[in-house]
Structure formats: structure tokens, C-alpha cells
Amino acid sequence: MGVFSGHWPSESELDKLRQKVAEMSGRDAQEVRVVVSPYRICPLGAHIDHQVTLQSGQFKGEVRFRVDEVQLPKHISKTNGLNEQIDSSKPQEECKWGNYARGAIYALQNKGNPLKTGITGFICGSEGLDSSGLSSSAAVGIAYLLAFESANGLVVCPTENIEYDRQIENEYLGLKNGILDQSAILLSSYGCLTCMNCKISHSVENSDNYRPHVQTIKHKLIRPPEVQNNHVGELGNAYKILLAFSGLKQALTTNPGYNRRVAECQEAAKLLLQASGNEEVEPVLSNVEPEVFEAHKSKLEPDLAKRAEHYFSENERVLKGLEAWASGNLKEFGELITASGLSSIQNYECGCEPLIQLYEILLKAPGVLGARFSGAGFRGCCLAFVDADRAEEAAMFVKNEYCKLQPELASHINQGPAVLICDAGDCARVI
């Protein structure tokens, strides 16, 4: 089983991947199946016995375990028979690349899926690409799920795999993220804007374990009209996506800022619901009506008010963004992306000096319609939508300007392009 996370592989890349797995497993290359799992870009708002043998194109070593081994969460340790939460601000074993495969087994085992067949696999991402901020973790998790399911003849729908990948990250690795990333990877379609309702409910009986229960995974695909602004064909021909890399790398599981923001949003929701007489409702901001926030936001501490302000304003931007995309208004769509980036900085207070500088450089680049952090904004890269005719010019501008401000970080981006010009792709699948 070859597992490829990143861009759609060329025929030569597929041949190399099949040959690599054939050498590892002793099978014929034609028997090798390949799983492709794309990175996530969000403009608004991963054999013959029971053995698993994995090698990576990015990391050293080999991972071996059995699919019938019981997998326990990596962020929980056993001390004197009691569960003890490990400090996620310190680098832990879950950061090792093989633990995403173990996490996939954990999630499948949890739902009672019969796993009898392991895989010999080789996993690699897009060559020379720093995938920080593109949800490579969700892409990898989904790739492993699809690989194990294919090897064991399991038929699993995308919504089930969204829940399985949530379990990998929330329960196995201890990251308190939601379901947007894996949903985008599994539900998207080429040329469309994917709109998802990720409303979830969290168990309050044991908040330390943070086990969210998905209420809805409603989604719809928004197809753009033909573009009128001097462009021929569909909207996809009018723009390109720029990914500008900062040189910053840190796993979200080792960054306390991400989980802290989740807790702050929950606290804001709790106080707003209490103020409106709805304290029995699950304390998440999706359960708070906008008018309740407006009526009671003065009762929140400044930081909590900012977090809630970002949540409600971002929801509004998403709705406006859907309308702009459906009407082919790239100018308005870009402005909403930029406003999202600004709110991430001012209200959600993520990012750091290099990322903020990169964001500001993108806004000055020729032909850029809008820019924001890619992903959580605690590491990685920024994205921008740019006029297709000026994408090369914009990429060179961003690269040169960022090197002036952050020469040391820019020097870390030595295996691939500092700025990547790309297009939207299709969803994850077995090919």
C-alpha cells in the first residue's frame, strides 16, 4: 500500500511509489494500491499477516506493529493504575510520525471494525514541500484510514472517516481541534467551494478527556459561475492559490496556544449562556445566538470577548464568502479572506511576528486578492488568492520581501519553493 499525502501524483511518482512498496513487501508492483490524500487549504473560516510495516519519504526509521495490538491514547499515561494527562506543551511520543498509523488503528478498533490484515506501506508528502499549516496531520490520518480499510475490505463512508480522524487527533494525540480539516479533505470536489456545518457537542461529564460528539456534518458544494472580468472559462482559470512558507515548524500537539484558545471559547460560551438563562446548554459558541453575544458581550473579560468576536464575525464572513463565490465576485471574496486574517491576528490572537509579516507582504504583492494564515495560525504558512496572470510576479515579490525581513527563517526553506503556486484539487481516495 502506497500512501501519498499532498498534490495529485504524476504517473512517474506513482510508478516510483509502487516500485518502493514492491521492494519492501516482495509483491509485484501491479498489486500495489495507492491512497492519495490532499492537503487542506481553507480560504475562510490527515498483507500476508497482521503486521504493519511502514517507511517514510520524509522521516528516518521503520515502524512495525500488529493491527490486533490494542492501541491506547498517547497523551494519557498510566500511573499507579490511574489515568494521568500528559502536559501537551512538551514534546511527547505522539509527535513521532508512526503514531498517526497507530491512531488510525485506535479509531477503527474503537468502532469494532474487524482488522485482520496489515499493510506494508511507504508514505510520502509532496516533494520539497513544507506542509506546516496545510493540515498534513489530517491528510496523513485519512490516508492511513483509507489504506487500512482498503486492505481489510471495509466499506466506510466519508462522514465515518471524518469521525475516525477526529478520534486520531482528539483522543489518541490529545489535540482539541474540530472536524474542518478532515471534512475538507474527504468531502471536497475540484472547482468547488466546500461549505461545512461543523457544529459539535462536547461531553461535560469528563472535560479532561475532551470527547466531542459530532452532531452534524452537513456540507454543500458551491460551484462558481463563469467569470466575466476579462477571463475566459470558469472561475478556476481566473485565480491561483499562493502558499507562502515562513520556515516556522511546530506540531500543534506541542503548542499550548491552540488548546488554550479552545478553552477560552468554551469559557466565553459558558458565560454568555449563563447570562441568557441557558446554562444547561452545551458551552460551545455554536450554541450561542449572535444577538445573545451582542447583548451580553460586555460581561466577558477582554480576551474572551475577542475570541467570541472572532467566532461570530468569521461565521458572517463565511456566509458572505459563499455568496461572493457563487456570483463569481473574486474581489469581494478576497477582501473577506483578508478580513479573516486580520481578525485572526487581532481577535483570536494567533500568529507571531514572522507569520504576521508574511501576511502583510502578501497583501502588498501584485495581483493578490486576499490573504490569511493557513490553518490555525500558530506555525507554518500563509495562503493568498491571486490573479492567475500575476501569480509568478506575486510569488517572486513575496519571496524577496520575506527574505529581507526574516533572512534566517527564509534560509530554513531549503528543500522546496518559498512560495508555491497551486490549484485546488479533488478529495482523498484510493487509486
Side-chain angles (χ1 to χ4, degrees), residues 47 50-54 63-67 101 105 118-119 148:
H47 91 41
H50 299 287
Q51 188 73 23
V52 174
T53 303
L54 299 170
V63 173
R64 287 179 177 269
F65 61 93
R66 295 171 62 92
V67 295
I105 295 296
I119 63 172
F148 289 128

Side-chain angles (χ1 to χ4, degrees), residues 169-278:
E169 303 218 59
N170 290 176
E171 298 178 19
Y172 191 77
L173 298 176
L175 180 64
K176 297 182 181 180
N177 59 338
I179 60 170
L180 183 145
D181 296 345
Q182 51 268 60
S183 298
I185 292 168
L186 283 162
L187 301 176
S188 294
S189 180
Y190 175 76
C192 298
L193 190 67
T194 306
C195 173
M196 290 167 290
N197 180 350
C198 297
K199 185 176 181 179
I200 58 178
S201 173
H202 304 297
S203 170
V204 293
E205 294 180 3
N206 189 349
S207 58
D208 289 339
N209 286 338
Y210 189 88
R211 295 172 64 93
H213 170 69
V214 178
Q215 291 180 312
T216 61
I217 310 179
K218 295 179 181 178
H219 77 286
K220 55 184 176 180
L221 301 175
I222 311 299
R223 294 189 177 276
E226 292 188 356
V227 180
Q228 301 115 15
N229 301 331
N230 299 321
H231 288 280
V232 180
E234 295 186 353
L235 188 62
N237 298 322
Y239 74 92
K240 294 288 184 183
I241 299 171
L242 290 186
L243 295 176
F245 301 98
S246 66
L248 293 166
K249 292 184 180 183
Q250 185 180 28
L252 289 183
T253 48
T254 63
N255 189 319
Y258 186 96
N259 284 354
R260 187 182 302 131
R261 292 294 181 275
V262 174
E264 288 170 340
C265 287
Q266 288 178 310
E267 181 64 19
K270 178 181 177 181
L271 294 173
L272 290 168
L273 289 166
Q274 287 176 345
S276 61
N278 291 309

Side-chain angles (χ1 to χ4, degrees), residues 39-58:
Y39 295 133
R40 179 271 303 126
I41 295 175
C42 292
L44 291 168
H47 91 41
I48 58 173
D49 59 6
H50 299 287
Q51 188 73 23
V52 174
T53 303
L54 299 170
Q55 291 183 10
S56 168
Q58 278 72 39

Side-chain angles (χ1 to χ4, degrees), residues 71-138:
Q71 300 297 331
L72 297 175
K74 288 295 179 182
H75 70 294
I76 301 290
S77 68
K78 294 272 188 176
T79 304
N80 296 325
L82 300 174
N83 284 342
E84 182 183 73
Q85 192 81 21
I86 292 176
D87 182 0
S88 63
S89 67
K90 299 176 183 178
Q92 301 292 340
E93 188 183 353
E94 69 264 25
C95 299
K96 294 181 179 180
W97 67 272
N99 283 327
Y100 283 93
R102 293 180 179 273
I105 295 296
Y106 165 84
L108 290 166
Q109 287 175 341
N110 260 4
K111 292 296 183 178
N113 290 287
L115 299 176
K116 298 181 179 180
T117 304
I119 63 172
T120 296
F122 182 80
I123 184 163
C124 60
S126 298
E127 187 173 351
L129 175 64
D130 173 7
S131 58
S132 300
L134 299 179
S135 195
S136 54
S137 59

